Amino acid sequence: MRVFGVTGWKNSGKTGLMERLVAEICGRGLTVSTLKHAHHTFDVDHPGKDSHRHRVAGASQVILSSRNRWALMSELRGADEPSLETLLGKLDPVDLVLIEGYKRESHDKIEAHRAATGQPLIAPGDPTIVAVASDSAPDAGVPVLHLDDTGAIADFILERVGL
């Protein structure tokens, strides 16, 4: 599986770019999965639901399944967070995995950047950032693509990963 990341500061447009890239690349007939890192506690389950009750009762893993989808929830219960490599190994094979976040990992990334956030570029100090997608024209030392030009960004990523 080929992997490529989208990184950037909060409110830089990462999630919107990810969403557009998934639609664009899938529309070209390729299969895509995503992996997103969260820096905070999150829950995909809801209190009172059976699966939530199973987890609260102490289950290490809970699979929730229907005819439309299934989800596997694993509780760490104090164990270390799994590595990116471990999580990638849990995915079914696809053409491309787009990774949101994981700034410190070694895979190639594009930095989403919005001038209005006032945040500096990450790219100049990070050799894993191979391009910037921005709503301005910053001097990044790497190719800069317009944040809203999803087709050009998808072209860049697919060429970079060899698809």
Side-chain angles (χ1 to χ4, degrees), residues 7 127 138 159:
T7 193
E159 182 178 324

Side-chain angles (χ1 to χ4, degrees), residues 106-153:
S106 63
H107 60 278
D108 285 351
K109 301 169 196 75
I110 189 165
E111 177 181 357
H113 175 263
R114 287 191 193 282
T117 67
Q119 293 287 355
L121 283 173
I122 301 167
D126 187 339
T128 68
I129 297 175
V130 297
V132 170
S134 180
D135 60 357
S136 63
D139 181 15
V142 295
V144 177
L145 304 160
H146 195 280
L147 185 58
D148 294 330
D149 192 348
T150 307
I153 297 168

Side-chain angles (χ1 to χ4, degrees), residues 4-123:
F4 196 90
V6 174
T7 193
W9 299 109
K10 183 178 181 179
N11 297 321
S12 63
K14 297 181 303 291
T15 302
L17 178 57
M18 287 278 292
E19 182 180 13
R20 293 190 314 275
L21 285 171
V22 169
E24 175 73 22
I25 296 169
C26 287
R28 296 180 186 195
L30 297 169
T31 55
V32 178
S33 289
T34 65
L35 200 157
K36 181 188 180 352
H37 188 258
H39 292 285
H40 48 79
T41 299
F42 68 92
D43 205 338
V44 295
D45 210 359
H46 303 286
K49 296 294 183 183
D50 294 349
S51 53
H52 186 269
R53 291 170 61 189
H54 297 179
R55 288 190 308 118
V56 170
S60 295
Q61 291 187 307
V62 175
I63 290 180
L64 180 60
S65 180
S66 75
R67 67 184 210 179
N68 295 320
R69 73 188 52 88
W70 68 272
L72 169 62
M73 294 172 279
S74 296
E75 289 296 316
L76 295 178
R77 307 243 184 254
D80 290 339
E81 179 179 355
S83 68
L84 176 60
E85 189 73 27
T86 297
L87 294 172
L88 287 169
K90 294 183 180 299
L91 293 173
D92 290 339
V94 292
D95 296 314
L96 177 65
V97 178
L98 289 173
I99 300 170
E100 183 177 342
Y102 288 96
K103 280 185 187 117
R104 293 177 184 87
E105 296 292 333
S106 63
H107 60 278
D108 285 351
K109 301 169 196 75
I110 189 165
E111 177 181 357
H113 175 263
R114 287 191 193 282
T117 67
Q119 293 287 355
L121 283 173
I122 301 167

